[in-house]
């Protein structure tokens, strides 16, 4: 074969390009390896992000770029970072959350206009402290005459996650910790009404990861989230798992996608109070749960069924401990401004039922009890946390997941009726239910009849997510798809690795 001068030049230039590429690949891998050795500044409780955090740091204009960046980050992460390094990164996220909690809480309230500042702080603290990290991953082992088999929990890769307006930043932090602990990267499509505080949180998380020596863009989001950007994230071949926290429309959309999806949907948690309960304790705990963050939590007590013989007692104690009882006229007024007719026959709240007669007016969701009383022209002369009203089972406040600090109370003849109505009011969400009783048989009967993901006995609903209750916390309670209170291990693939005895077998 005869080579011309031009052929020789082409070969030299191709060899030079290959050498340069090899050198640059080696440099980036060693940078990543070096990074994996780094530990976050010990005990650093300083905010890692200034108030005016700018730059991209995980926030992308295009869904496609957010997915690609997360994909690349996950590839580096899973190749170069040991469990110890993952823990260092998670610890940095926890510290950053605590260091920035005041600012985060203020941003959430200002942007979403839902709930209470103090309760946002409590949720952020809970999320930072009680979201499990890598310790949640457990390897299963079988050993015997035929050798050793282990079942490991491996990452999916890139997870597409959708967050609700009711826990916007808390869900991002909680999901990020769990998903990173299990070796994944995550792309968020957040609720559009929380995009600013969410972007701040994503940037904060990326800064914390970088400061702990981790790769950039393990956590990304779309700057202007829409249903179209969600469709792009879902359709991207890099996205291997979907996790949706929100109402029934979202869960249905993700479950229809053809990809593996974890759905954390709506609730309408009923509370039963029977004649054996410590009534004053029940009153205090119901107020605590139902008034927390103005009742926007999916686990919050949404309607009470109380046995007639103790109903007056319960209402008396509730009024003594921060509740205001609406009379019929006040209740009618609240209904006139806080509910709207479902003229378009659309489904909202805890149900996909388009025939619901009412919806909650958006402006009243998550507002303070005192704001309601202001509108009614009532001066209670003391701080009121919760409004209560006596209604029938069919009342819209019982049937709707209204997310307002207005708690309907239904009198029932006995436990049988309480269980029957509570199961109906939960609408098959299988989310959360509560009971106040000292009778174990009563508690067991209700728990079996309702079959919810969370069942709390003699405490507020908050105990169900580890707030003054044992167990880890989550912001993503996967009732519809059955994973329960999600954590790192939920976001993993099971992988079996077998070591046979082979030539060493004793015969
Ligand atoms: P939402 O359903 O209106 O929105 C949740 C997210 O889904 C948002 O990001 C929204 O943009 C998106 N979305 C909504 N409908 C969609 C659709 N049809 N297709 C694609 N995306 C869609 O809910 P919200 O008002 O943000 O949050 C409150 C709801 O979430 C309540 O029903 C509450 O019970 C539920 N929730 C559940 C959990 C849980 O862990 N199970 C936690 C928090 C909130």
């Amino acid at each position: 074969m005869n080579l011309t001068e031009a052929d020789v030049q082409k070969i030299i230039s191709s060899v030079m390009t290959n050498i340069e590429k090899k050198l640059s690949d080696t440099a980036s891998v060693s940078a990543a390896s070096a990074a994996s050795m780094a530990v976050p500044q010990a005990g650093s409780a300083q905010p890692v992000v200034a108030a005016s955090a700018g730059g991209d740091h995980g926030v992308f204009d295009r869904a496609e770029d957010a997915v690609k960046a997360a994909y690349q980050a996950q590839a580096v992460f899973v190749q170069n970072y040991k469990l110890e390094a993952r823990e260092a990164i998670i610890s940095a996220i926890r510290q950053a959350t605590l260091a920035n909690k005041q600012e985060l809480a203020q941003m959430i309230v200002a942007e979403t206009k839902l709930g209470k500042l103090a309760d946002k702080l409590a949720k952020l603290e809970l999320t930072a402290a009680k979201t499990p990290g890598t310790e949640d991953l457990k390897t299963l082992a079988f050993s015997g005459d035929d050798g050793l088999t282990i079942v490991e929990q491996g990452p999916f890769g890139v997870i597409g996650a959708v967050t609700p307006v009711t826990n916007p930043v808390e869900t991002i932090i909680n999901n990020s910790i769990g998903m990173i602990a299990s070796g994944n990267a995550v792309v968020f499509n957040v609720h559009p009404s929380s995009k600013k505080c969410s972007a701040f949180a994503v940037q904060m998380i990326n800064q914390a990861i970088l400061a702990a020596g981790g790769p950039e863009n393990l956590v990304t989001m779309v700057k202007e989230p829409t249903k179209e950007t969600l469709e792009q994230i879902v359709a991207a071949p890099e996205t291997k798992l979907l996790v949706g926290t929100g109402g029934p429309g979202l869960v249905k959309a993700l479950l229809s996608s053809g990809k593996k999806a974890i759905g954390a949907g709506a609730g309408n948690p009923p509370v039963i109070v029977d004649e054996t309960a410590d009534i004053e304790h029940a009153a205090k705990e119901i107020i605590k749960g139902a008034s927390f963050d103005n009742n926007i939590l999916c686990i919050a007590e949404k309607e009470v069924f109380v046995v007639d013989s103790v109903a007056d007692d319960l209402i008396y104690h509730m009024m003594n401990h921060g509740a205001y009882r609406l009379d019929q006229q006040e209740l009618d007024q609240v209904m006139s401004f806080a509910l709207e007719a479902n003229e378009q026959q659309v489904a909202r709240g805890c149900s996909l039922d388009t025939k619901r007669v009412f919806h909650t007016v958006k402006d009243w969701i998550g507002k303070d009890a005192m704001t309601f009383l202001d509108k009614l022209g009532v001066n209670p002369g003391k701080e009121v946390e919760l409004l209560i009203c006596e209604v029938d089972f069919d009342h819209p406040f019982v049937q709707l997941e209204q997310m307002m600090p207005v708690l309907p109370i239904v009198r029932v003849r006995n436990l049988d009726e309480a269980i029957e109505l509570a199961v109906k009011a939960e609408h098959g969400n299988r989310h959360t239910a509560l009971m106040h009783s000292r009778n174990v048989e009563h508690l067991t009967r209700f728990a079996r009849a309702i079959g919810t993901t969370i069942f709390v006995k003699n405490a507020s609903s908050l105990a169900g997510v580890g707030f003054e209750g044992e167990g880890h916390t989550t912001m993503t309670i996967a009732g519809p798809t059955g994973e329960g209170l999600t954590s790192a291990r939920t976001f993993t693939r099971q992988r079996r690795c077998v070591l046979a005895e082979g030539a060493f077998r004793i015969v």
Side-chain angles (χ1 to χ4, degrees):
M1 181 170 67
N2 290 330
L3 293 177
T4 64
E5 180 79 6
D7 289 335
V8 172
Q9 276 309 320
K10 235 191 213 164
I11 292 169
I12 292 173
S13 125
S14 159
V15 168
M16 289 307 291
T17 313
N18 279 341
I19 291 173
E20 275 162 19
K21 185 169 178 310
K22 196 128 208 151
L23 283 175
S24 95
D25 285 355
T26 316
S28 59
V29 168
S30 21
S33 305
S36 72
M37 300 294 158
V39 261
Q41 291 88 355
S44 155
Q46 296 304 308
V48 292
V49 170
S52 58
D56 290 327
H57 289 107
V59 181
F60 289 82
D61 288 334
R62 298 186 335 144
E64 195 188 340
D65 296 336
V67 174
K68 288 247 146 62
Y71 179 74
Q72 284 161 4
Q74 198 268 340
V76 171
F77 185 50
V78 85
Q79 282 292 323
N80 300 289
Y81 290 76
K82 296 178 178 173
L83 284 177
E84 194 183 353
R86 284 190 205 172
E87 258 320 303
I89 286 170
I90 289 165
S91 164
I93 297 174
R94 297 188 201 280
Q95 287 175 27
T97 303
L98 294 176
N100 289 287
K101 65 182 179 185
Q102 197 70 37
E103 181 149 28
L104 285 166
Q106 278 164 355
M107 286 181 83
I108 299 168
V109 174
E111 187 178 5
T112 66
K113 302 183 176 56
L114 301 173
K116 303 179 196 168
L117 187 71
D119 297 339
K120 306 291 182 204
L121 286 169
K123 283 196 287 184
L124 287 164
E125 285 166 4
L126 177 71
T127 306
K130 289 190 86 173
T131 301
T134 56
E135 75 284 2
D136 194 50
L137 305 173
K138 302 266 184 271
T139 301
L140 185 64
F142 306 89
S143 70
D145 292 346
D146 289 331
L148 170 70
T149 292
I150 57 168
V151 181
E152 279 187 326
Q153 298 174 313
F156 272 88
V158 174
I159 300 176
V162 186
T163 55
V165 70
T166 47
N167 293 326
V169 168
E170 304 87 327
T171 308
I172 287 177
I173 293 165
N174 171 259
N175 283 184
S176 296
I177 291 177
M179 291 168 183
I180 289 173
S182 44
N184 299 286
V186 50
V187 184
F188 285 106
N189 204 66
V190 306
H191 194 292
S193 306
S194 62
K195 62 187 177 192
K196 289 193 204 125
C197 55
S198 298
F200 183 89
V202 165
Q203 289 173 336
M204 176 196 82
I205 289 171
N206 274 295
Q207 300 261 24
I209 294 172
L210 278 179
E216 185 150 30
N217 297 325
L218 263 188
V219 176
T220 67
M221 69 171 267
V222 187
K223 193 172 177 186
E224 299 291 339
T226 60
K227 288 209 174 126
E228 289 68 41
T229 58
L230 176 58
E231 277 163 22
Q232 289 161 16
I233 294 169
V234 169
E238 294 91 346
T239 308
K240 300 294 186 204
L241 171 68
L242 303 169
V243 177
T245 310
L250 166 70
V251 172
K252 192 174 171 204
L254 293 189
L255 290 182
S256 323
S257 69
K259 284 195 176 168
K260 158 111 180 156
I262 294 173
N268 196 35
V271 191
I272 290 181
V273 183
D274 79 4
E275 65 283 3
T276 71
D278 176 336
I279 301 298
E280 185 170 7
H281 176 75
K284 285 199 258 183
E285 291 297 301
I286 292 171
I287 290 174
K288 190 195 289 173
S291 65
F292 186 87
D293 220 11
N294 292 334
N295 202 271
I296 59 174
L297 268 62
C298 56
I299 54 165
E301 292 81 348
K302 296 278 193 294
E303 62 276 341
V304 177
F305 298 94
V306 54
V307 173
D308 191 30
S309 57
V310 290
D312 290 334
D313 241 16
L314 180 72
I315 291 168
Y316 166 81
H317 286 299
M318 288 184 86
M319 290 169 73
N320 264 351
H321 289 285
Y324 176 90
R325 182 188 191 165
L326 298 170
D327 63 24
Q328 189 56 49
Q329 198 191 351
E330 289 163 345
L331 175 59
D332 290 345
Q333 267 180 278
V334 171
M335 287 179 67
S336 71
F337 63 76
L339 294 183
E340 61 189 349
N342 183 12
E343 276 158 7
Q344 263 90 46
Q345 300 263 298
V346 289
R348 269 198 241 156
C350 64
S351 162
L352 286 175
D353 181 1
T354 54
K355 301 280 181 267
R356 290 268 165 96
V357 187
F358 293 106
H359 287 317
T360 314
V361 173
K362 199 166 162 246
D363 286 351
W364 284 97
I365 293 177
K367 294 294 173 294
D368 289 357
M370 292 302 275
T371 310
F372 281 81
L373 290 178
D374 250 18
K375 173 88 175 168
L376 292 172
V378 171
N379 179 359
K382 58 175 183 175
E383 192 59 28
V384 167
E385 297 280 330
L386 183 71
L387 308 179
I388 54 175
C389 51
E390 254 200 81
V391 298
D392 291 333
F393 172 72
D394 294 332
H395 196 279
F397 282 173
V398 175
Q399 301 303 324
L400 290 174
E401 187 198 24
Q402 31 139 333
M403 298 196 283
M404 300 186 296
V406 183
L407 186 68
I409 298 176
V410 180
R411 274 176 205 257
V412 290
R413 287 187 304 274
N414 51 38
L415 184 67
D416 289 339
E417 191 183 13
I419 292 177
E420 188 196 330
L421 296 185
V423 169
K424 279 190 191 155
E426 215 268 329
H427 301 306
N429 294 316
R430 298 200 288 178
H431 194 296
T432 297
L434 307 101
M435 185 161 181
H436 294 270
S437 171
R438 288 183 178 121
N439 184 313
V440 175
E441 195 196 323
H442 290 187
L443 289 161
T444 307
R445 269 179 60 199
F446 182 36
R448 285 197 181 148
I450 198 148
T452 44
T453 308
I454 297 179
F455 188 81
V456 180
K457 303 162 186 174
N458 298 321
S460 91
S461 53
L462 297 167
V465 288
F467 191 92
E468 297 176 6
E470 290 302 324
H472 74 270
T473 200
T474 187
M475 296 291 138
T476 298
I477 301 157
T481 47
E483 291 80 2
L485 281 80
T486 58
S487 59
R489 71 178 79 171
T490 316
F491 311 119
T492 58
R493 296 169 56 241
Q494 307 290 302
R495 300 188 310 205
R496 174 182 275 214
C497 181
V498 179
L499 176 67
E501 282 290 282
F504 301 105
R505 183 192 290 272
I506 301 166
V507 281

